[in-house]
Amino acid sequence: MFTAQNYLMPATLEEAWVLNQSKSNKIIGGMLWLKMEHKNISTIIDLSALELGSIDETDEEFKIGATCTLRELEQHQGIEKFFAGMIRHSLESIVGVQFRNLATVGGSIYSRFGFSDLLTAFMALESYVELYKGGIISLQDYVNMPYDRDILTRVIIKKRNCKTAYISFRNTATDFPVLACAISKIEEGAWKIIYGARPGKALEFENNLPEEPDLADIDGAIEKLKSWEHFASNMRGSKEYRKALAASLLKKAVKHIMETAGA
């Protein structure tokens, strides 16, 4: 359990940013991971007063505030409809509803955990993060950036017409995923395949699937996976086990998209 000397709720982002420049201070979200750490914090910074909890939809994009909870994201009808349930599928196995009522989108994406279902799903879409000082950066670039003291204010998902699928494998329900796979296929025919919980953080698997792949094309992608050296071992599964799972998840996800496209 952590201890904190002070609790502050800044009235502006500038105030929050200035406070966050001290390494002894900490921005808090749902505190679901923080509470398991053993550290002394000078000041915890609560962003609740900064109106970052909404999901705003325009004709071009969804803007998801950093303090929006995973449960609010899961239940958003606009996101559910536009991405055909993909985001909901990525969230529904995360611990339980009580957990998702507290965990925030900002905390999940800023942390860039290897096991993050949400990061894996967002990376399969055209997604960006909005940083208070750093501006708007593609999520693909943000994932590989070093941690700094900037404040993640929003996640932006562009409305590109696409077919999507999200599949994960867990040893037990509500556990961290052994492996996760998120796929999108845009109207122009390009496929984007992301693997998360490798156990490293989400990473794109470059592929050459045609617009309408047949079994031979899928088998070709699976053969390429055998030489993809971005899986590793941990307590949940070996590198070899994850490679076998990756092939199975890829086949299921592509099949789901093709069936949806033909519906």
Side-chain angles (χ1 to χ4, degrees), residues 1-4 23-29 31-41 44 107 110-111 113 115 147 149:
M1 179 65 72
F2 71 90
T3 60
K23 292 184 178 180
S24 62
N25 296 344
K26 188 85 171 178
I27 290 176
I28 57 170
M31 295 197 297
L32 295 161
W33 305 121
L34 182 63
K35 70 181 182 182
M36 292 187 283
E37 297 184 18
H38 298 280
K39 60 170 55 180
N40 296 315
I41 301 170
I44 53 176
Y110 173 81
S111 300
F113 293 126
F115 57 76
Y147 293 100
R149 310 301 295 181

Side-chain angles (χ1 to χ4, degrees), residues 115-169:
F115 57 76
S116 176
D117 291 277
L118 187 59
L119 180 63
T120 305
F122 278 172
M123 279 187 62
L125 306 172
E126 188 180 345
S127 303
Y128 301 83
V129 296
E130 179 184 272
L131 304 174
Y132 176 56
K133 295 291 186 179
I136 295 174
I137 301 168
S138 76
L139 182 58
Q140 202 110 9
D141 291 337
Y142 183 67
V143 162
N144 297 310
M145 287 173 56
Y147 293 100
D148 61 19
R149 310 301 295 181
D150 207 344
I151 298 175
L152 191 156
T153 56
R154 291 176 183 83
V155 175
I156 300 166
I157 310 177
K158 296 295 184 180
K159 283 183 167 181
R160 295 197 69 182
N161 289 326
C162 59
K163 300 294 183 181
T164 61
Y166 185 90
I167 304 177
S168 66
F169 180 84

